[in-house]
Amino acid sequence: MVQLHFTIMDFKKLLIRALSGSVYCALIVVCALIGSDAVTCLGILFTVLAVLELHKILSGSLTNRIPALLLDLAGAICLCCGSYLLPILFWIIIMVCRFVEELYLKDEHPIQRLGESMLSQLYIGMPLGCMVAIAYLFPRPEAILAVFFFLWINDTGAFLTGSLFGKHRLFERISPKKSWEGFFGGYIFNLIAATLFATFCPGFFGLGNNIIFWLGLATIVTVFGTWGDLVESLIKRSMHIKDSGNLIPGHGGILDRIDSLLLAAPAVLIYLMIIEIIF
């Protein structure tokens, strides 16, 4: 009877996780299909939620240092909208205001606080701005979906192969559960997906059918996505927390969901721009 109770509880958790994950994925797909403006709105939403989470992680409360938080939010949003150029000019003004503000806050650790501001703006706003740029600068906004699909496929492949065969730790100091077997499993899944994308649906993404290009994109997303996951794990381990928040039931906070994207998006943007120049 007890065993049945635990089974039902586990099923409920799995169901909640599946439903919340489906809503999250559907939101991204719908925004990408609508167009670059919708992707920009999605980026702003992620930026606000992620900066709030990071501020709470670093400060312990959302009510601490509200003036600095407001400037950090404004700065991160400007970076997220950087594809439109004008927000970058506003960001420069915001940064000047943030430095001047620290003169009057009478904080005992001004350098640490300024460092936290830089972290929240550059670690969150800039990569999400790269996500927006991918949708804005390339022929079809659906191009950003290729990045998300590779991230999701990599996570799934890494989890499955790591659970079944994982023995050699990838980065035990930061993430004890990740294994080399999981990393290469996710990579193989992505290489297979890249081959399928290039063969059957390159027109959907607007990225052509060059198999070498697709394999390169899969490699970039796998490597930098894994590093992005590890960087967020480093932050959480340093602050002695398990999840960045509880916004998405069964998945944690928004930072837990976009951690891979935060390093993958800038790398993909640079990769796509290099490809554009070469070809």
Side-chain angles (χ1 to χ4, degrees):
M1 191 70 176
V2 174
Q3 183 62 40
L4 177 62
H5 171 73
F6 278 116
T7 302
I8 293 175
M9 291 297 293
D10 291 341
F11 176 76
K12 287 182 178 178
K13 290 180 181 179
L14 182 62
L15 181 61
I16 292 173
R17 179 180 174 86
L19 290 175
S20 60
S22 298
V23 171
Y24 166 76
C25 294
L27 176 63
I28 293 171
V29 172
V30 169
C31 287
L33 294 177
I34 291 174
S36 55
D37 289 340
V39 175
T40 301
C41 293
L42 179 68
I44 293 173
L45 174 63
F46 284 171
T47 297
V48 171
L49 295 174
V51 169
L52 290 175
E53 279 187 0
L54 187 59
H55 181 88
K56 187 174 181 179
I57 290 171
L58 298 176
S59 301
S61 171
L62 286 177
T63 57
N64 291 338
R65 303 167 48 243
I66 291 180
L69 172 61
L70 293 177
L71 283 177
D72 290 345
L73 281 169
I77 291 172
C78 285
L79 287 175
C80 178
C81 300
S83 296
Y84 300 94
L85 185 61
L86 186 60
I88 293 297
L89 302 179
F90 286 122
W91 177 73
I92 295 172
I93 297 172
I94 289 168
M95 288 308 304
V96 171
C97 293
R98 179 65 188 91
F99 281 107
V100 173
E101 178 191 46
E102 199 63 39
L103 295 174
Y104 298 94
L105 290 179
K106 299 179 181 179
D107 195 290
E108 294 181 359
H109 307 284
I111 301 301
Q112 178 180 338
R113 300 312 176 197
L114 287 172
E116 292 172 357
S117 290
M118 298 301 102
L119 178 64
S120 62
Q121 293 183 46
L122 295 176
Y123 172 59
I124 294 170
M126 184 274 291
L128 291 174
C130 292
M131 177 193 77
V132 172
I134 292 171
Y136 182 75
L137 297 176
F138 291 90
R140 293 172 62 90
E142 291 91 333
I144 191 62
L145 278 181
V147 181
F148 278 104
F149 286 168
F150 280 136
L151 288 172
W152 297 338
I153 292 167
N154 179 63
D155 284 345
T156 302
F159 174 77
L160 292 175
T161 54
S163 299
L164 293 173
F165 308 109
K167 293 182 179 180
H168 302 86
R169 299 303 98 186
L170 176 65
F171 223 115
E172 191 167 8
R173 178 174 62 88
I174 294 174
S175 185
K177 293 184 179 180
K178 294 189 183 305
S179 65
W180 280 106
E181 290 83 359
F183 170 79
F184 284 110
Y187 185 34
I188 291 171
F189 270 59
N190 263 351
L191 293 180
I192 295 172
T195 304
L196 295 176
F197 290 158
T199 304
F200 297 106
C201 52
F204 172 76
F205 299 105
L207 294 174
N209 60 356
N210 186 313
I211 186 65
I212 301 301
F213 161 79
W214 278 99
L215 294 176
L217 182 59
T219 301
I220 293 289
V221 173
T222 300
V223 173
F224 283 88
T226 300
W227 278 337
D229 193 331
L230 289 170
V231 167
E232 200 235 356
S233 295
L234 175 64
I235 294 173
K236 292 190 295 185
R237 183 166 287 270
S238 299
M239 301 306 296
H240 308 290
I241 60 172
K242 181 181 179 182
D243 296 320
S244 65
N246 55 9
L247 178 67
I248 307 175
H251 292 269
I254 192 66
L255 270 176
D256 294 320
R257 292 297 88 210
I258 66 171
D259 53 0
S260 299
L261 177 69
L262 294 180
L263 287 195
V268 168
L269 178 61
I270 293 171
Y271 175 72
L272 293 178
M273 293 180 72
I274 292 173
I275 295 297
E276 284 281 306
I277 293 172
I278 294 177
F279 298 101

